[in-house]
Amino acid sequence: MAEWKLEEKDGIKYFRLDFENLGWKDLKCLFIARNESSGAINDKSLARLFNTFGIGRINFLKQIHSDKIFYVSEHNFIQRNLEGDGMFTNRLDTFLGVNVADCLPIYFFSSLKKIIGIVHSKE
C-alpha cells in the first residue's frame, strides 16, 4: 500500500505518495500546499517547482466542475485552454496537475494497465 509522506525540499513543503514499495520507482505523486507567504501558484512559483522537482511541464485544465476527463497521449499534449476536471495518461514523462481550494484532488492509478490520473472533485 502506498502512503503519503510529508517532506520539504528547497523550502517547498509537500506530501509525496510513495510507490517504491510497490515497485514503481519512477512514479511521482505530489500534493503541494500553497505557501501563505507566496500566495497562489503563478509562473514564477511553477518555474521554482519545475527546477526543484525536475519537471519539464505540468498539464493543467481549466477546471469547470464537470465530468469531462481527458486522455493525455504522446500525440495530444494538453493545452491550457481545454476545459474539464480530470486527465489520465500512460506516459512516464507526463505530469498532471489540478488546483484545489475547497475541493479534493483524487489520484488514481492502475498497475495492471500502467496508467495514472488525477481528478478535481467537488463534494
Side-chain angles (χ1 to χ4, degrees):
M1 178 93 176
E3 64 182 59
W4 288 101
K5 294 182 179 180
L6 178 61
E7 299 181 357
E8 184 172 346
K9 185 175 182 180
D10 296 336
I12 300 173
K13 290 183 182 179
Y14 63 95
F15 289 92
R16 180 177 63 89
L17 192 52
D18 185 2
F19 288 98
E20 289 187 29
N21 62 342
L22 299 176
W24 285 36
K25 294 179 183 176
D26 295 328
L27 182 58
K28 295 178 184 175
C29 189
L30 307 175
F31 181 87
I32 300 169
R34 181 178 75 147
N35 183 333
E36 292 304 322
S37 63
S38 65
I41 291 184
N42 54 37
D43 287 341
K44 184 178 178 182
S45 58
L46 276 177
R48 185 172 172 216
L49 289 174
F50 293 166
N51 290 332
T52 300
F53 296 104
I55 298 170
R57 177 178 132 176
I58 299 176
N59 296 291
F60 286 102
L61 297 169
K62 180 179 178 188
Q63 295 165 204
I64 58 172
H65 296 109
S66 71
D67 60 357
K68 292 183 181 179
I69 299 174
F70 295 91
Y71 169 63
V72 181
S73 73
E74 63 184 309
H75 302 293
N76 73 337
F77 283 108
I78 294 295
Q79 302 168 9
R80 285 191 180 250
N81 60 351
L82 288 177
E83 295 183 352
D85 287 279
M87 57 195 133
F88 66 99
T89 189
N90 60 350
R91 294 183 52 85
L92 294 176
D93 61 347
T94 300
F95 295 86
L96 309 175
V98 297
N99 295 310
V100 294
D102 60 342
C103 303
L104 293 173
I106 298 174
Y107 303 83
F108 60 92
F109 73 97
S110 168
S111 57
L112 180 65
K113 299 284 186 178
K114 301 289 186 200
I115 63 168
I116 188 162
I118 191 166
V119 176
H120 168 254
S121 175
K122 182 163 180 138
E123 300 174 8

